[in-house]
């Protein structure tokens, strides 16, 4: 007989329930009166076989089920986050979800049927969700096919554990992603190692704010089993994203292994629920994999090539908002570049003069002659090296700033020839833009023509207004041109997204384009998805 338990606390009160053998025998009649012989021919059970069933032990015991659940959880080696949560739930005595005093909750049938319909369509393996095993166990339960080898309580425990795992794996995975980008992408590039060579720190490469599943969300999913809402919960977890749908539509025809993997990886990216939405707003989208930028307004879109970080100095993926444009900016050389490159030229005054590098003492701002400084001095952090703004500056003539933790921005370049390269993963992490003035005009609008002309003059571009042309006639020596505009506030700030897709619809045409994988992110995500494929 089955003992009752408090579903909220999971504690058994050991009050005996009325023996369920009569009900089980009725189930035998309903589900097992007809069966198949070894040749697949349907036959009817005999009276003698029903007599044998009455002798069998069909007593359900919550205590025995929990004991088996403990063994199952101890032997489970699956390592996804959901798997670890399921193990913890049952080890901590969580309430039974699918097993009740009458046997198995009929919502199990709903789950198994739903997964059977959806898994193949989304490119996932039925075995990854133990669907064949669960169907066999469910059939055994319905036919009351229990014996010493297939103990009823062991079978019920396997069903309980496997159904919970499959249910949470699917619902949470479809709702938030089967793979955590933080866990995968932020453990690719080692920044520091200990004395034994083991990684102690990694470069943060993914800094996009996405929704995360909470313990309350998982408990909500489990509570819906009792409420008979498993189907509704599974349907609600499905991505509604239109780009996801475009990718999924291509999946059935993708017979090439690499093409199929690329689709699956980009579908996974669309499952990550980004909190910030640019829908209907002016925004800038940089696809780092495509090395392309789109400036999107409600009534227009234009695009340009960009140069992104090299593989060793990857451009981080992030969302922010451009709030400031600086013209002819000074470049503060990051310490990573000072230590790795600039310090080699310590003491070479000519090198620093050609590049208009200035060395100052941190704290006091006192200018220091480079001739007396060693490489160790420059790498010590006691000095600040900057490049004066203007012609030849590595940031070019204009930079677009937005809050982020990486000192990464969009900016012009003094080396525009790189934009003609097919592969443009060349920078130290910032994004160099091919059409900087057009991007600035996109940010500030066309209303103030004189502001735009002052910006042109500051960037050594020809003015387009009479006022601008008159100014150049009155100042033919060029003195002060580059200081006509120093900074422009962007109000309201324009959202900017630096993301990474190897298949993505062109924002202008809506047609799916395929791009290379310069950072190897597709391979890393595919490896993390492997347990589901």
């Amino acid at each position: 007989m089955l003992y009752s338990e408090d579903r909220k606390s999971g504690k058994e009160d050991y009050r005996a329930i009325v023996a369920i053998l009569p009900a089980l025998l009725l189930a035998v009649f309903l589900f097992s009166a007809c069966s198949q012989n070894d040749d697949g021919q349907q036959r009817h059970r005999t009276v003698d076989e029903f007599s044998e069933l009455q002798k069998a032990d069909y007593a359900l015991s919550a205590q025995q089920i929990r004991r088996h659940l403990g063994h199952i959880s101890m032997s489970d080696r699956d390592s996804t986050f959901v798997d670890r949560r399921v193990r913890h739930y049952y080890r901590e005595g969580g309430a039974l979800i699918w097993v009740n005093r009458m046997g198995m909750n009929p919502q199990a049938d709903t789950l198994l049927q739903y997964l059977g319909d959806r898994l193949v369509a989304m490119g996932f393996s039925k075995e990854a969700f133990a669907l064949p095993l669960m169907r066999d166990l469910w059939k055994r339960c319905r036919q009351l096919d229990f014996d010493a080898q297939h103990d009823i309580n062991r079978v019920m425990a396997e069903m309980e554990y496997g159904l919970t795992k499959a249910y949470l794996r699917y619902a949470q995975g479809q709702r938030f992603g089967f793979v955590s980008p933080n866990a995968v992408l932020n453990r690719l590039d080692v920044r520091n190692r200990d004395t034994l060579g083991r990684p102690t720190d990694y470069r943060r490469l993914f800094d996009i704010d996405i929704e995360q599943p909470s313990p309350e969300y998982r408990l909500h999913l489990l509570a819906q089993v009792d409420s008979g809402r498993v189907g509704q919960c599974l349907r609600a977890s499905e991505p509604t994203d239109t780009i996801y749908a475009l990718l999924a539509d291509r999946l059935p025809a993708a017979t090439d292994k690499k093409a199929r993997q690329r689709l699956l990886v980009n579908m996974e990216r669309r499952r990550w629920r980004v909190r910030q939405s640019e829908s209907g707003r002016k925004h800038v989208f940089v696809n780092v994999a495509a090395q392309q930028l789109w400036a999107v307004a409600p009534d227009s879109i234009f695009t340009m090539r960009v140069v992104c970080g090299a593989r060793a100095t990857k451009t981080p993926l992030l969302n922010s908002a451009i709030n400031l444009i600086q013209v002819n900016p000074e470049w503060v050389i990051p310490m990573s570049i000072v230590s790795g490159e600039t310090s080699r030229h310590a003491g070479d005054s000519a090198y620093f003069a050609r590049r208009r590098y200035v060395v100052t003492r941190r704290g006091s701002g006192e200018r220091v002659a480079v001739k007396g400084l060693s490489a160790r001095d420059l790498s010590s952090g006691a000095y600040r090296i900057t490049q004066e703004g203007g012609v030849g500056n590595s940031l070019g003539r204009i930079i677009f700033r937005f809050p982020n933790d990486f000192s990464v921005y969009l900016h012009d370049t003094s080396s525009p020839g790189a934009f003609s390269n097919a592969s443009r993963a060349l920078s130290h992490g910032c994004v160099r833009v091919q059409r900087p003035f057009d991007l600035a005009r996109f940010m500030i609008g066309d209303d103030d023509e004189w502001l735009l002309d002052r910006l042109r003059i500051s960037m050594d571009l020809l003015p387009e207004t009479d006022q601008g042309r008159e100014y150049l006639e009155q100042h033919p020596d060029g003195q002060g041109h580059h200081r006509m505009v120093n900074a422009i506030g962007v109000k309201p700030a324009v959202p900017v997204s630096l993301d990474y897709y190897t298949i993505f619809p062109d924002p202008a045409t809506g047609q799916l384009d395929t791009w290379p994988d310069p950072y190897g992110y597709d391979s890393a995500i595919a490896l993390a998805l492997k347990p589901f494929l």
Side-chain angles (χ1 to χ4, degrees), residues 181-228:
N182 291 297
V184 175
L185 301 182
N186 289 335
R187 295 183 68 84
L188 285 180
D189 286 8
V190 178
R191 185 158 50 185
N192 294 303
R193 297 180 184 272
D194 62 16
T195 55
L196 297 178
R198 296 171 300 194
T200 59
D201 188 24
Y202 296 85
R203 289 186 61 221
R204 186 166 182 80
L205 301 173
F206 185 91
D207 197 40
I208 297 175
D209 188 18
I210 60 174
E211 295 181 30
Q212 302 282 359
S214 65
E216 292 74 21
Y217 172 77
R218 287 186 287 274
L219 291 176
H220 166 75
L221 287 178
L222 296 180
Q224 301 312 299
V225 179
D226 259 351
S227 303

Side-chain angles (χ1 to χ4, degrees), residues 110-128:
T110 302
L111 173 62
L112 296 177
Q113 182 175 347
Y114 193 94
L115 293 181
D117 292 340
R118 291 290 301 135
L119 288 176
V120 174
M122 58 185 277
F124 278 13
S125 162
K126 293 181 179 180
E127 286 73 16

Side-chain angles (χ1 to χ4, degrees), residues 208 274 276 278 283-288 318-320 494-499:
I208 297 175
V274 179
Q276 180 178 332
E278 301 92 9
H283 66 275
V284 172
F285 170 59
V286 176
N287 186 349
V288 175
L318 57 87
N319 281 353
S320 188
V494 175
V496 59
S497 174
L498 277 57
D499 215 329

Side-chain angles (χ1 to χ4, degrees), residues 3-293:
Y3 296 100
S4 67
E5 63 177 297
D6 186 322
R7 182 163 292 276
K8 293 182 179 179
S9 67
K11 296 181 179 179
E12 300 159 2
D13 64 9
Y14 294 96
R15 290 177 298 172
I17 310 273
V18 177
I20 63 171
L21 184 56
L24 291 173
L25 290 175
L26 177 59
V28 170
F29 179 79
L30 293 176
F31 296 119
S32 305
C34 293
S35 61
Q36 291 182 338
N37 60 23
D38 293 339
D39 297 325
Q41 299 298 315
Q42 192 177 68
R43 67 178 180 83
H44 295 277
R45 291 191 182 275
T46 66
V47 174
D48 290 339
E49 287 176 306
F50 279 116
S51 300
E52 287 299 314
L53 285 170
Q54 294 181 53
K55 297 175 184 178
D57 183 6
Y58 294 110
L60 287 172
S61 165
Q63 184 177 12
Q64 290 297 314
I65 292 172
R66 289 193 179 285
R67 183 174 64 82
H68 287 301
L69 282 170
H71 295 322
I72 295 170
S73 64
M74 291 296 291
S75 62
D76 184 8
R77 295 292 180 266
D78 288 339
S79 58
T80 72
F81 182 80
V82 168
D83 301 331
R84 295 194 296 272
R85 291 297 91 200
V86 172
R87 282 199 294 271
H88 177 78
Y89 177 82
Y90 286 112
R91 287 178 186 176
E92 294 298 313
L96 300 179
I97 305 299
W98 306 90
V99 177
N100 56 37
R101 66 188 63 184
M102 297 305 296
M104 189 61 61
N105 190 314
Q107 289 294 296
D109 207 22
T110 302
L111 173 62
L112 296 177
Q113 182 175 347
Y114 193 94
L115 293 181
D117 292 340
R118 291 290 301 135
L119 288 176
V120 174
M122 58 185 277
F124 278 13
S125 162
K126 293 181 179 180
E127 286 73 16
F129 293 80
L131 190 59
L133 174 61
M134 290 298 104
R135 281 175 167 169
D136 288 346
L137 294 176
W138 182 230
K139 181 179 179 182
R140 188 176 296 278
C141 290
R142 295 176 72 170
Q143 294 182 348
L144 299 177
D145 187 11
F146 305 116
D147 51 35
Q149 184 179 357
H150 301 96
D151 174 74
I152 184 173
N153 293 300
R154 170 74 189 188
V155 171
M156 290 294 182
E158 289 178 343
M159 284 288 288
E160 171 74 21
Y161 194 88
L163 290 170
T164 299
K165 196 155 127 176
Y167 178 47
L168 292 184
R169 265 191 169 194
Y170 187 89
Q172 182 171 306
Q174 284 290 74
R175 176 63 180 80
F176 298 99
F178 292 90
V179 170
S180 167
N182 291 297
V184 175
L185 301 182
N186 289 335
R187 295 183 68 84
L188 285 180
D189 286 8
V190 178
R191 185 158 50 185
N192 294 303
R193 297 180 184 272
D194 62 16
T195 55
L196 297 178
R198 296 171 300 194
T200 59
D201 188 24
Y202 296 85
R203 289 186 61 221
R204 186 166 182 80
L205 301 173
F206 185 91
D207 197 40
I208 297 175
D209 188 18
I210 60 174
E211 295 181 30
Q212 302 282 359
S214 65
E216 292 74 21
Y217 172 77
R218 287 186 287 274
L219 291 176
H220 166 75
L221 287 178
L222 296 180
Q224 301 312 299
V225 179
D226 259 351
S227 303
R229 297 176 57 84
V230 166
Q232 293 93 318
C233 282
L234 292 171
R235 287 189 291 273
S237 71
E238 300 287 353
T240 57
D241 179 69
T242 55
I243 297 175
Y244 178 92
L246 283 173
L247 296 168
D249 286 346
R250 278 199 175 185
L251 194 59
T255 56
D256 177 74
K257 183 178 179 180
K258 288 185 178 179
R260 186 174 180 82
Q261 175 178 295
R262 184 182 284 117
L263 283 167
L264 291 171
V265 165
N266 285 280
M267 287 168 63
E268 176 66 8
R269 289 185 173 108
R270 295 309 297 179
R271 294 187 185 102
W272 302 336
R273 303 292 180 106
V274 179
R275 294 185 187 275
Q276 180 178 332
S277 173
E278 301 92 9
S279 179
R281 296 179 59 189
K282 177 189 287 190
H283 66 275
V284 172
F285 170 59
V286 176
N287 186 349
V288 175
Q291 298 160 19
Q292 199 84 6
L293 177 151

Side-chain angles (χ1 to χ4, degrees), residues 101 117 121 132 148 211 220 231 251-252 275 330 354 357 373 378-379 412 431 438 461 477 491 506-507 525:
R101 66 188 63 184
D117 292 340
E211 295 181 30
H220 166 75
L251 194 59
R275 294 185 187 275
E330 175 186 78
R354 285 195 305 272
Y357 287 175
L373 297 177
L378 293 179
S379 301
D412 185 18
V431 177
D438 290 341
L461 301 174
D477 56 1
K491 298 180 180 179
D506 186 314
I525 296 170

